Amino acid sequence: MAVTEESAAAGYGTDAVDDPLTDFRLGRRGLAIARPGARVWAFAAYLVAAIALTLPVWASPETKWPGGPGDPMAYMEILGWFPFAISHGLNPLLDTYVNLPQGSNMMWDAAGPLATITLWPVTALFGVILSYNVAIVGALALDGWCTFLWLRRHVRHPVAAWLGGLLMVLGPYASTRAHGHVVYLLFFSVPLLLIAIERVVADPRHGHLRWGATIGTLAAVQLLCCEEIVALFVLAVGSTLVIAALLFPRAVKERIVSSVKTLAVALAVFLVISAVPLGYQFLGPGRIVGPIQAPNTFETDVVNLVVPGSGTALQPQFAAVLAGHWTGGFMEANAYIGIPLLLVSIYTVIRWRRDRWLRVVGVGTAAALVWSLGAFLHIDGITHHVLPLPGRLLSYLPVFNDVLPARFDMFMDLGLAAVVAVFVERAVLAGRWRGRLAGDAALLLVCVTLAPSLPISASVTDTPRYFLPGGDVDALPQGTVALVVPYGDGETTMDPLLWQAESGFRFRMVAGAIYTAERDGGAAFGESLWPSGTTLDCVMQLLQAGVSTGPCTADPVGAVRAELDQLGVQVILMGPMAYGTEPALQRPMEDFLSRVAGTAPRIDEGALVWPYPG
């Protein structure tokens, strides 16, 4: 392929140097990162984009949040729990206010302690809902900005880098996760880790102490924001570096000693910073044994690569039908690339294939895609077991067997962001006018097909006045043990978690939809099903489902009373039934609880309250 005059002048696609990894070295293309103005306007633009994505909530940010109920409520409880526990001298890593009597080891529930502590002032002043909204917007803006900083080391034009970063704010992965998986938006450390690793790989003369400490610290920060992303990073970036080593064996040979030293320092720093949370997770109470999520469920469906999910603005009816076939649910179906971006990416990597950094990025993007497919190929919701994929190896690796393959899509989007930045700089902003015109058209198609559905619809809290600050819940002694209904047994019964946080953790709940360990060490989301769980679990869950409690016990009232007495329950509280709107589902629960308490409830500021004489 001929090298154009423009590309030669810029240093693209040439073999002017012998070392194949010098493309990673900060050279002329990285000088512009020293200009603070570009960094400031880039962050401001990402912040505006994040606010636009979540615009409806800002009319009433203390009562609304983006997306639906469910997972956001659990994270709101976590946002309140860490400050409450620390300020009251409790262990923040063991939530003893849910899932009694054992509580929940928070390191098994993607708690993100660093983010919750950072947002403590916001939570204290404005409440957990507004703090959650700030977390969403702040995470999106930081993700885009840190991606911008990484890309500015490889493209000259700030607009090219900015567009790449915008993909990490409004792209399929981020815009879908913003509906409720805020903790998986906290990946701003990843681009910074890539910068540090590239510096080490590019030049063995860089001090292994300095860069090892930097990498170890950034990895620990990521662990304290979202632990699963650390595991994803190790697999995605590690496999990319292995493939790069096979492509450039001579260069790797020259760097092996310095790289090992740097890695050793990084690992030591990481373990020192992370020793307490990791030690508590694996050696403390409530350790979960075995996989947390159902296997062969949360994987990328091949069809999703070219067919958009419901998070995109352009989703024709046939695409909505196909999306209904995919396993894992809406927020795990974020692998959409689209045909325009797929073609642009292939063209860019082939056209500038002599750019070694771009080649490695292409390899890494492909590796992330393969990892995201999981153990077996999923096509239109059907699992094909004929051809096992590398993801099957994860089931044999402790810790890594809890990684959900669909979440590798974040690294796929990072690679695509880099490819977009290169394409914009070299095809849209440079070259002859005909090439620029074609590049403009291709970029427009990419933007149109990837555009998210703006804005994300908002949910509004229906928390009874009883649980809000100044409500009658304040009459309860601090730490009162309560049976709260809906009973926390899954994603549709998370409202009590929000009520508890908004009440300032006035009461402890028998159940809460947060991961906990069963008696055999297996994972339970809230309370477990019979026969693994208690009779109380069985009775409450069947009542919520509108089913007879007969399979649980012949005497449900007596069995529930015995367990409530054992747990030290002092009050029974019931709010709106989030799992259903039919009165038939609510009346049986109310009647049963009245029989258990031995009295009818009083209606108190939108909640039903039964004093429990146990």
Side-chain angles (χ1 to χ4, degrees):
M1 179 185 68
V3 179
T4 65
E5 183 177 338
E6 293 88 351
S7 64
Y12 305 147
T14 67
D15 287 321
V17 292
D18 294 329
D19 190 338
L21 293 185
T22 50
D23 281 352
F24 289 95
R25 187 174 300 152
L26 184 60
R28 289 187 301 163
R29 281 181 267 172
L31 292 177
I33 64 169
R35 300 173 183 172
R39 297 197 294 269
V40 171
W41 69 251
F43 181 80
Y46 295 136
L47 190 60
V48 169
I51 292 174
L53 185 66
T54 59
L55 191 60
V57 309
W58 299 106
S60 180
E62 295 182 42
T63 60
K64 296 181 178 181
W65 64 87
D71 286 344
M73 294 173 167
Y75 196 73
M76 291 174 200
E77 197 270 355
I78 294 169
L79 278 168
W81 166 251
F82 275 83
F84 172 80
I86 294 172
S87 62
H88 286 76
L90 304 175
N91 178 4
L93 297 179
L94 181 64
D95 191 341
T96 54
Y97 271 57
V98 294
N99 297 324
L100 303 182
Q102 73 272 16
S104 289
N105 187 323
M106 300 306 289
M107 288 303 295
W108 288 102
D109 200 82
L114 182 59
T116 61
I117 294 172
T118 301
L119 289 168
W120 187 341
V122 180
T123 303
L125 291 173
F126 304 105
V128 293
I129 296 179
L130 189 141
S131 185
Y132 176 83
N133 292 328
V134 171
I136 289 276
V137 170
L140 288 169
L142 281 173
D143 294 339
W145 188 62
C146 291
T147 302
F148 169 83
L149 296 181
W150 171 51
L151 296 179
R152 278 302 274 133
R153 310 182 87 85
H154 300 284
V155 296
R156 285 184 171 188
H157 206 294
V159 171
W162 180 80
L163 285 172
L166 189 63
L167 181 61
M168 301 311 299
V169 179
L170 299 179
Y173 176 87
S175 61
T176 302
R177 297 288 172 187
H179 284 77
H181 283 178
V182 61
V183 72
Y184 294 101
L185 291 176
L186 296 169
F187 61 85
F188 58 88
S189 297
V190 171
L192 302 181
L193 277 165
L194 294 177
I195 293 173
I197 290 172
E198 287 177 358
R199 293 292 294 263
V200 172
V201 170
D203 193 342
R205 295 172 298 178
H206 283 303
H208 57 268
L209 287 175
R210 173 190 173 189
W211 288 106
T214 300
I215 293 171
T217 301
L218 287 171
V221 167
Q222 184 58 71
L223 176 97
L224 296 175
C225 287
C226 180
E227 183 178 11
E228 187 173 351
I229 291 179
V230 177
L232 294 168
F233 181 90
V234 170
L235 292 168
V237 178
S239 57
T240 301
L241 291 175
V242 169
I243 297 172
L246 297 175
L247 292 175
F248 310 123
R250 181 175 61 83
V252 171
K253 194 174 181 180
E254 296 172 357
R255 290 165 169 78
I256 189 67
V257 174
S258 62
S259 297
V260 169
K261 289 181 179 179
T262 304
L263 179 62
V265 173
L267 184 60
V269 172
F270 172 77
L271 291 176
V272 167
I273 299 175
S274 308
V276 171
L278 285 178
Y280 197 83
Q281 178 176 7
F282 295 107
L283 302 176
R287 178 189 176 188
I288 294 176
V289 179
I292 295 178
Q293 299 279 10
N296 201 41
T297 301
F298 301 98
E299 284 89 6
T300 290
D301 194 296
V302 173
V303 177
N304 188 202
L305 297 175
V306 293
V307 174
S310 56
T312 56
L314 296 179
Q315 190 198 37
Q317 181 59 35
F318 82 89
V321 172
L322 290 175
H325 301 164
W326 306 334
T327 61
F330 161 64
M331 278 187 286
E332 302 295 346
N334 43 226
Y336 180 59
I337 299 175
I339 294 175
L341 180 55
L342 187 62
L343 294 177
V344 163
S345 300
I346 294 172
Y347 167 80
T348 303
V349 173
I350 293 176
R351 171 66 176 83
W352 290 284
R353 60 186 176 274
R354 300 178 76 178
D355 184 325
R356 299 172 183 99
W357 176 76
L358 184 59
R359 259 190 284 170
V360 173
V361 166
V363 166
T365 305
L369 170 58
V370 172
W371 281 119
S372 76
L373 297 175
F376 300 97
L377 208 59
H378 288 239
I379 303 177
D380 195 25
I382 299 174
T383 303
H384 298 267
H385 295 87
V386 177
L387 179 65
L389 298 171
R392 191 174 183 183
L393 298 174
L394 301 184
S395 62
Y396 303 106
L397 300 175
V399 179
F400 292 101
N401 60 359
D402 287 326
V403 168
L404 298 190
R407 292 169 184 172
F408 281 104
D409 294 338
M410 182 196 77
F411 292 90
M412 187 171 69
D413 277 12
L414 268 174
L416 293 171
V419 172
V420 166
V422 171
F423 177 79
V424 169
E425 180 176 57
R426 303 180 191 181
V428 177
L429 301 175
R432 297 181 177 86
W433 71 270
R434 290 181 181 175
R436 291 200 302 270
L437 189 61
D440 290 340
L443 181 62
L444 179 61
L445 283 174
V446 169
C447 292
V448 169
T449 53
L450 287 184
S453 180
L454 283 171
I456 297 174
S457 59
S459 291
V460 183
T461 178
D462 62 350
T463 302
R465 180 70 185 87
Y466 176 86
F467 295 104
L468 296 176
D472 286 349
V473 72
D474 290 344
L476 298 178
Q478 179 65 49
T480 295
V481 179
L483 170 63
V484 184
V485 179
Y487 194 74
D489 62 356
E491 189 174 354
T492 59
T493 54
M494 289 184 171
D495 295 66
L497 294 173
L498 175 58
W499 303 342
Q500 185 189 55
E502 290 188 296
S503 75
F505 292 86
R506 196 72 189 176
F507 53 89
R508 302 168 67 198
M509 296 194 298
V510 170
I514 290 179
Y515 279 110
T516 187
E518 296 180 334
R519 285 173 291 183
D520 62 356
F525 191 47
E527 295 305 313
S528 55
L529 291 167
W530 183 265
S532 298
T534 63
T535 304
L536 174 64
D537 299 335
C538 180
V539 170
M540 298 303 292
Q541 290 176 83
L542 290 182
L543 280 171
Q544 290 187 155
V547 180
S548 169
T549 60
C552 303
T553 176
D555 180 19
V557 172
V560 168
R561 280 178 177 169
E563 292 191 32
L564 295 185
D565 292 343
Q566 187 177 10
L567 292 169
V569 170
Q570 301 160 277
V571 67
I572 301 174
L573 305 173
M574 180 174 170
M577 304 297 278
Y579 53 81
T581 57
E582 294 294 329
L585 295 178
Q586 301 181 36
R587 177 58 63 179
M589 177 68 79
E590 183 179 340
D591 292 344
F592 178 79
L593 293 177
S594 295
R595 290 164 58 199
V596 169
T599 183
R602 75 172 190 271
I603 301 176
D604 192 342
E605 296 183 318
L608 299 182
V609 181
W610 290 267
Y612 186 70

